[in-house]
Amino acid sequence: MNRKLNTREIKQLLDRSAAQIDKNTLEKLASARRTAVQYQQTTQQAPVLAWLTQHGLIHSHSTHNRKVWNFGIAALLALVLLGGGLYWQHAYEHDHSDIDIAILTDDLPVDMYVD
Amino acid sequence: MLVFAPFTPEPLKLSTPQQLSEFLAQVERRAYKQAQFAVRDEHVALDIVQDAMLKLAERYGDHPVEEYPMLFQRILQNTIRDHYRRQKVRSFWTTLMSSLTPQHGDEDFDPLDTLQDEDNDSQPARPEEAMAQSQLVAVIEEALNTLPARQREAFLLRYWEELDTAETAVAMGCSEGSVKTHCSRATHALSAILREKGIDLS
């Protein structure tokens, strides 16, 4: 076999080889492709987010905006926890002050002496 | 007076399932061949391509379609490398276990496991020229199989996928210098192998 080849011809030969893949393998590749596409469809964003994205209100595909969203959600969660903690602490202090006033005014209910 | 206009980034076009499907249909054959060159097993090659397709759809399915070629190549090469790593670990344990268990000769060997189907019935009969080309393809594929994995990877990405040096470096996860070295060595090795078969690589 006496021949001269360059990289372009090698590419063409490899393309030819890829074009000769048997039917069975091609069917399996097509099936894999369909599965992948289905997976993309199921993992696409929720309708509300899609609507917001379409109308330019958010750009959910942008990495930067995703980070901002994640940060926003984390900040909101922290705020809710902080608010809850403060409210609980305030309610607890309120309870204490009621008891203090009751002791001072001698209006402490009898059941407070039970323990 | 300088007036700064508010920066409004141009929204990127999200890819549709139709675009993803078209892209995958376009690259699946070459991806399969690349995986086959790398692992030399049809079933494993199919698994690798399927895995790469799923990863692309799952993780980057909402990216613009223009980003797909590079992303897919990167994912494919990483999936092949993951396979190598798993194989290495598996072969370590297999060797360890086989050294501990008694040998039973060749009774587990089934030639059907390794028999290659060289005849492709799906193709119509071709003239002599096509036959010569098929032989040439076989010679090239055999030569590619003998290359070290990284050299073959670089050669295929550069000359088959037609990525430039920078893109190949990204896909391979190495520097541009390494890509050039791998490509140069691959070309020299291929040239030497093909010369033995009477083919000059120019």
Side-chain angles (χ1 to χ4, degrees):
Chain A
M1 195 186 290
N2 275 321
R3 266 201 77 148
K4 279 198 171 188
L5 273 183
N6 57 29
T7 48
R8 181 150 292 278
E9 283 169 318
I10 288 182
K11 176 188 155 45
Q12 285 168 357
L13 288 167
L14 289 173
D15 281 339
R16 185 192 171 85
S17 161
Q20 288 176 355
I21 292 173
D22 64 283
K23 238 181 202 173
N24 190 28
T25 307
L26 285 180
E27 277 168 17
K28 284 176 185 166
L29 285 171
S31 164
R33 188 197 331 142
R34 281 193 295 272
T35 310
V37 172
Q38 274 173 6
Y39 208 77
Q40 183 203 20
Q41 284 169 333
T42 55
T43 53
Q44 275 183 345
Q45 53 191 301
V48 176
L49 279 178
W51 187 86
L52 289 172
T53 308
Q54 273 175 7
H55 290 79
L57 297 172
I58 58 166
H59 300 284
S60 66
H61 57 274
S62 150
T63 316
H64 172 72
N65 279 315
R66 249 184 222 161
K67 278 182 187 163
V68 171
W69 270 89
N70 287 342
F71 179 76
I73 290 166
L76 190 70
L77 193 68
L79 208 68
V80 167
L81 285 171
L82 191 73
L86 284 173
Y87 176 77
W88 181 80
Q89 198 178 5
H90 178 72
Y92 184 72
E93 278 172 5
H94 188 69
D95 267 352
H96 269 285
S97 60
D98 278 355
I99 293 166
D100 291 343
I101 291 167
I103 291 169
L104 286 171
T105 55
D106 232 5
D107 285 341
L108 202 63
V110 182
D111 56 334
M112 290 299 288
Y113 296 102
V114 173
D115 294 334
Chain B
M1 185 182 151
L2 281 174
V3 177
F4 292 100
F7 174 67
T8 49
E10 195 179 324
L12 293 166
K13 283 182 190 168
L14 302 182
S15 61
T16 61
Q18 172 73 16
Q19 284 174 318
L20 177 67
S21 178
E22 280 169 10
F23 167 75
L24 292 176
Q26 203 184 327
V27 296
E28 65 191 13
R29 288 171 184 239
R30 292 202 305 275
Y32 170 73
K33 290 298 284 186
Q34 273 195 57
Q36 206 183 12
F37 285 138
V39 298
R40 295 173 204 180
D41 183 310
E42 291 175 17
H43 301 290
V44 178
L46 265 172
D47 284 348
I48 285 173
V49 175
Q50 184 169 17
D51 207 13
M53 283 177 172
L54 273 172
K55 280 178 190 166
L56 180 77
E58 181 196 4
R59 296 179 196 169
Y60 305 101
D62 57 350
H63 278 235
V65 73
E66 295 79 23
E67 291 180 13
Y68 280 170
M70 278 303 300
L71 286 169
F72 186 68
Q73 277 307 323
R74 182 77 196 245
I75 293 168
L76 183 68
Q77 303 307 328
N78 284 343
T79 312
I80 291 171
R81 237 165 282 149
D82 286 346
H83 169 77
Y84 285 150
R85 279 190 211 111
R86 278 198 303 271
Q87 203 180 30
K88 208 174 169 184
V89 174
R90 205 178 300 137
S91 66
F92 167 77
W93 284 108
T94 310
T95 315
L96 193 72
M97 295 311 283
S98 63
S99 66
L100 296 173
T101 51
Q103 299 296 312
H104 296 291
D106 288 336
E107 66 184 26
D108 289 337
F109 175 72
D110 183 356
L112 287 176
D113 286 344
T114 52
L115 192 65
Q116 297 286 320
D117 181 17
E118 298 294 344
D119 300 324
N120 189 348
D121 294 335
S122 62
Q123 295 300 313
R126 293 177 181 281
E128 287 167 15
E129 198 180 312
M131 180 67 183
Q133 277 203 331
S134 297
Q135 285 175 346
L136 201 56
V137 168
V139 168
I140 289 165
E141 288 189 347
E142 201 186 315
L144 281 170
N145 274 332
T146 60
L147 290 181
R150 294 293 272 174
Q151 287 183 23
R152 183 178 49 242
E153 197 181 330
F155 184 87
L156 291 176
L157 288 173
R158 282 284 286 119
Y159 300 117
W160 197 16
E161 294 297 331
E162 295 188 315
L163 302 183
D164 61 30
T165 315
E167 288 169 337
T168 308
V170 172
M172 288 178 67
C174 64
S175 69
E176 288 186 42
S178 298
V179 170
K180 285 176 188 166
T181 310
H182 287 315
C183 271
S184 166
R185 285 180 184 165
T187 313
H188 278 101
L190 271 181
S191 181
I193 297 164
L194 293 177
R195 202 176 301 122
E196 283 174 15
K197 312 264 179 186
I199 301 164
D200 272 344
L201 189 62
S202 53

